[in-house]
Amino acid sequence: MQVFDYEDIQLVPNKCIVDSRSECDTSIKFGPRTFKIPVVPANMQTVIDENLAEMLASNNYFYVMHRFEPEKRIEFIRDMEEKNLYTSISVGIKQEEFDFIDSLVEEKIVPDYITIDIAHGHSDRVVNMIKYIKEKLPDSFLIAGNVGTPEAVKELEHAGADATKVGIGPGKACITKLKTGFGTGGWQLAAIRLCAKAATKPIIADGGIRTDGDITKSIRFGADMVMIGSMLAGHKESPGSVYVENGKTYKEYFGSASEYQKGEYRNVEGKRMLLPAKGSIMDTLKEMQQDLQSSISYAGGKDLMSLRKVDYVIVKNSIYNGDLH
């Protein structure tokens, strides 16, 4: 099995066919809607909240609301619907989550997108939840994950998932591979490639993105959408506590499986860190779009799918070190 990660790959340019990079189309159809770029902030409590979700939806970006304040989900959906914005929520797989789906049905609420958000999504419990949601809310676009193997993608798709999320522990705040010895950390890009080859439905690459070029590489190897945590955390609109140390401002960022998220030290697979405070997330998203347009021009195409056709080489690139690695 050919194994590699983002820093091991460089894409090979083709002849440019556009007069300006601004001609390159970065939009992606994902489920029932088309979005400005194939990027979604991670559904983590230090990355997304209600205000940011509204801002993203209003500006034609994809979002997935986290599941860590379950009692607020119905109110959140209603608020978004009142503003004529699409709805995208997360659920888990405990019994109360089945009850939550029942309550949506009773109140005739149909979210546009539902994400089953589990660290290890290749499980009978996830399969059962997929089947339950597709039976009760067949019109919701259902994302399931996370997984890291072609077998898992096939099983979740067969159960009824409309898209699968690929990535077991490659995130910056994740320590799964250190705590368990398992995961796609270190070979996340190869895992995307393997899973995408097995998939018949969209793939979300989740974790391990350290540069804008990594978004392009994810698309090249089969991702339709790219979920990003640390690079989209720490902005002025981002949730998370603010800290000032030695005259510098930071925002906290922690993994969904960290003790800070769980509220106790039990089965911990995530950590907390402080990120330098950034400006507006809209500026970062705009830069991501511009960099994707440049990538498309290097690919010799006019849209995102041209990225799928470029050649690549496996290298060990010395510019990737320190925080970038």
Side-chain angles (χ1 to χ4, degrees):
M1 182 171 70
Q2 190 181 48
V3 177
F4 49 78
D5 211 349
Y6 291 101
E7 65 265 33
D8 305 319
I9 294 293
Q10 286 290 287
L11 304 177
V12 179
N14 289 327
K15 181 181 179 181
C16 181
I17 62 169
V18 294
D19 294 326
S20 168
R21 294 175 185 186
S22 62
E23 297 174 28
C24 298
D25 180 10
T26 62
S27 66
I28 184 76
K29 187 176 189 306
F30 187 73
R33 305 181 72 89
T34 297
F35 298 100
K36 194 174 292 185
I37 56 174
V39 168
V40 55
N43 51 337
M44 302 164 71
Q45 202 165 359
T46 51
V47 177
I48 185 82
D49 63 7
E50 291 87 346
N51 291 333
L52 184 51
E54 180 182 338
M55 182 184 297
L56 292 168
S58 299
N59 287 277
N60 203 28
Y61 294 105
F62 186 46
Y63 77 90
V64 179
M65 188 60 192
H66 67 74
R67 61 180 172 86
F68 300 108
E69 294 174 311
E71 71 284 355
K72 293 184 177 181
R73 286 180 296 197
I74 287 181
E75 181 185 356
F76 169 73
I77 294 169
R78 285 182 169 148
D79 286 347
M80 294 294 278
E81 287 180 341
E82 281 180 13
K83 295 163 183 168
N84 201 28
L85 298 171
Y86 76 91
T87 54
S88 178
I89 61 166
S90 303
V91 298
I93 54 172
K94 293 181 179 178
Q95 181 54 49
E96 54 261 35
E97 297 290 64
F98 288 84
D99 298 337
F100 169 67
I101 298 301
D102 289 342
S103 67
L104 291 179
V105 174
E106 289 169 11
E107 301 197 35
K108 295 183 172 56
I109 296 172
V110 182
D112 295 296
Y113 296 83
I114 300 176
T115 297
I116 301 174
D117 177 39
I118 301 297
H120 183 27
H122 192 189
S123 76
D124 289 339
R125 291 291 298 273
V126 170
V127 167
N128 291 340
M129 179 57 93
I130 290 170
K131 292 178 178 177
Y132 198 78
I133 292 173
K134 293 310 289 186
E135 177 191 347
K136 300 286 185 175
L137 298 167
D139 293 331
S140 292
F141 186 86
L142 180 58
I143 302 160
N146 282 27
V147 300
T149 64
E151 294 79 12
V153 171
K154 290 176 183 176
E155 186 165 352
L156 299 193
E157 283 189 354
H158 181 71
D162 297 305
T164 50
K165 196 143 67 78
V166 175
I168 307 286
K172 196 168 189 176
C174 196
I175 54 174
T176 299
K177 69 177 180 180
L178 302 179
K179 297 280 280 183
T180 71
F182 286 85
T184 60
W187 61 286
Q188 167 72 356
L189 190 56
I192 293 166
R193 181 193 193 203
L194 289 167
C195 290
K197 284 180 177 292
T200 61
K201 298 173 182 177
I203 290 284
I204 301 178
D206 181 13
I209 303 295
R210 303 288 183 263
T211 68
D212 288 358
D214 293 344
I215 302 169
T216 296
K217 294 173 187 179
S218 299
I219 302 297
R220 163 60 181 85
F221 287 99
D224 298 271
M225 187 68 69
V226 183
M227 181 168 272
I228 298 176
S230 61
M231 283 178 61
L232 289 177
H235 290 84
K236 70 178 184 182
E237 301 92 348
S238 305
S241 300
V242 177
Y243 297 85
V244 178
E245 294 183 5
N246 300 321
K248 294 183 179 180
T249 305
Y250 299 87
K251 271 197 168 182
E252 69 175 346
Y253 173 64
F254 51 74
S256 297
S258 69
E259 64 179 303
Y260 301 94
Q261 184 68 74
K262 292 169 176 277
E264 61 178 326
Y265 195 89
R266 178 177 57 83
N267 300 121
V268 166
E269 294 179 27
K271 63 181 179 180
R272 172 182 174 270
M273 60 181 67
L274 295 180
L275 301 176
K278 306 166 190 170
S280 172
I281 195 172
M282 289 304 175
D283 292 337
T284 297
L285 291 168
K286 184 177 180 181
E287 183 176 356
M288 286 178 172
Q289 181 177 20
Q290 291 171 346
D291 287 346
L292 276 168
Q293 288 177 316
S294 294
S295 295
I296 292 167
S297 74
Y298 277 111
K302 293 184 176 180
D303 57 31
L304 280 177
M305 289 305 102
S306 65
L307 299 175
R308 296 265 172 91
K309 301 168 187 173
V310 300
D311 290 334
Y312 66 93
V313 293
I314 299 179
V315 297
K316 286 293 182 182
N317 197 330
S318 61
I319 68 165
Y320 284 84
N321 52 37
D323 290 339
L324 286 177
H325 192 275

